Amino acid sequence: MFTEDLSLLRGPPGRDGRDGRDGRDCDTDELEKLVAIMFNESRKSGDTSSVGGTTTGRSPLGSYDTDDLLQSFNESIGFALLRKMQTTLAKLEGIEEELDSHQSTSLKDDDDADDSQPITTVIGGSTYVRWGRTTCGNNSQLLYEGFVIGSNHAHEGGASNYQCLPLKPEYSTYSGIGSWVYGAEYETGSSMFPNAMHDHNVPCARCFAPTRSATLMIPAKRTCPPSWTKEYEGYLMAGYYTQNRAYAFECMDAEPEAIAGRSGNENGALFYFQKASCSSTGHCPPYIESAELTCVVCTK
């Protein structure tokens, strides 16, 4: 209170170390002015005895000496501080009760959660097919092992992409009406693979990279961009240019496997090495007309 006249209390540092704000260094005239202000404020609030003055018109100092006035003033300030501390303490107690209530609710929720089944959440991750192999690499997880199928190379209808079918299918109802898919074979001739794979059926593996969220197949490269993980490298393969069937480009593993017992020339879906035509691309060199294109599969 009396914020407009607090300058009356300022002075050199007081004896109690409170920066001179206890009024002990004020002279008598200043104290009389201060008590007069207190008296007027008390009279406005209806309490004419709180400072020691009366309504008789006498000087507010009355018969009080300086020490008595200082004691009365300090007591009134102390009372105001006490009320403020009580209010603050009440607020703190309310906050403490609210925190206790919140903690009890959280503990109850935790107890309820313990009775439920654990929830497994997968965040991110990426999948890819490793053509020609039955395993995955570079810390990727095998989702399933399978074999490659596609539409017949001599048919004009059907689909244009290869598929990796799992070894154990799950059927629903069926009627026998529909198109056909065929097993896929390597059509590599003398082959550049470590083992002779010509006419052998092609296996595959569908893989999951749990810590990497993107998959990229780069044709004509054997290395991945910086910060990408190399899953495998191989050769770019698809159908033959004179046949009816147009197949999607896929990256066949450089060290492929074969499905045991399936080495006959059945000519279903076929895989051929792919080469760049220098006369149409116009990028030779560095491309080479007769060289089989490489490829790499990367994740990040």
Side-chain angles (χ1 to χ4, degrees):
M1 64 180 187
F2 318 130
T3 55
E4 69 277 7
D5 287 281
L6 285 179
S7 61
L8 295 175
L9 295 179
R10 295 192 176 95
R15 286 184 289 270
D16 58 353
R18 289 182 294 170
D19 197 27
R21 287 179 171 80
D22 60 348
R24 293 180 185 271
D25 290 303
C26 297
D27 58 24
T28 304
D29 292 339
E30 291 176 339
L31 285 175
E32 186 169 353
K33 292 179 182 180
L34 180 62
V35 174
I37 294 171
M38 295 171 60
F39 174 79
N40 291 332
E41 292 293 331
S42 299
R43 188 168 59 181
K44 290 178 182 179
S45 63
D47 182 9
T48 59
S49 61
S50 60
V51 179
T54 65
T55 60
T56 60
R58 289 190 303 112
S59 169
L61 288 175
S63 59
Y64 288 89
D65 59 19
T66 302
D67 290 338
D68 292 337
L69 289 172
L70 285 174
Q71 181 178 358
S72 176
F73 177 75
N74 288 333
E75 287 176 355
S76 64
I77 294 295
F79 179 77
L81 291 175
L82 179 61
R83 290 295 300 272
K84 189 172 184 179
M85 291 174 61
Q86 290 174 339
T87 302
T88 303
L89 182 59
K91 290 182 180 180
L92 290 175
E93 290 176 350
I95 293 174
E96 185 178 4
E97 291 177 357
E98 184 177 354
L99 290 174
D100 291 341
S101 176
H102 178 72
Q103 184 178 11
S104 299
T105 303
S106 300
L107 291 175
K108 182 178 180 181
D109 292 341
D110 292 341
D111 292 340
D112 294 339
D114 291 339
D115 297 333
S116 62
Q117 295 296 324
I119 299 175
T120 302
T121 302
V122 176
I123 301 176
S126 180
T127 62
Y128 64 91
V129 174
R130 189 174 187 181
W131 304 99
R133 293 296 295 264
T134 59
T135 59
C136 302
N138 292 305
N139 297 320
S140 294
Q141 301 173 6
L142 177 66
L143 298 179
Y144 66 85
E145 176 187 344
F147 61 96
V148 182
I149 58 90
S151 297
N152 193 290
H153 71 286
H155 295 174
E156 294 182 356
S160 62
N161 59 322
Y162 303 100
Q163 286 291 316
C164 182
L165 263 60
L167 297 179
K168 296 181 179 180
E170 298 174 351
Y171 283 101
S172 183
T173 58
Y174 55 94
S175 65
I177 300 175
S179 186
W180 294 91
V181 294
Y182 298 82
E185 298 177 356
Y186 300 105
E187 291 293 321
T188 55
S190 59
S191 184
M192 294 173 22
F193 293 136
N195 298 311
M197 291 292 172
H198 185 73
D199 284 341
H200 282 267
N201 281 38
V202 184
C204 56
R206 189 170 293 276
C207 307
F208 174 59
T211 60
R212 301 178 288 277
S213 59
T215 300
L216 174 66
M217 190 275 280
I218 308 176
K221 294 291 287 185
R222 299 179 60 191
T223 57
C224 294
S227 77
W228 286 71
T229 298
K230 179 178 177 179
E231 297 295 337
Y232 71 93
E233 65 172 284
Y235 291 95
L236 191 68
M237 303 192 80
Y240 198 66
Y241 72 100
T242 61
Q243 297 173 349
N244 292 332
R245 172 60 44 225
Y247 293 107
F249 294 109
E250 299 294 354
C251 188
M252 185 66 64
D253 195 279
E255 297 182 359
E257 300 170 340
I259 297 178
R262 304 298 301 173
S263 60
N265 184 21
E266 298 174 351
N267 283 334
L270 305 177
F271 280 96
Y272 287 86
F273 292 117
Q274 302 297 302
K275 304 176 183 181
S277 171
C278 288
S279 60
S280 62
T281 62
H283 288 272
C284 299
Y287 283 86
I288 303 172
E289 178 83 19
S290 60
E292 288 80 359
L293 292 172
T294 58
C295 58
V296 64
V297 174
C298 311
T299 56
K300 182 179 182 180

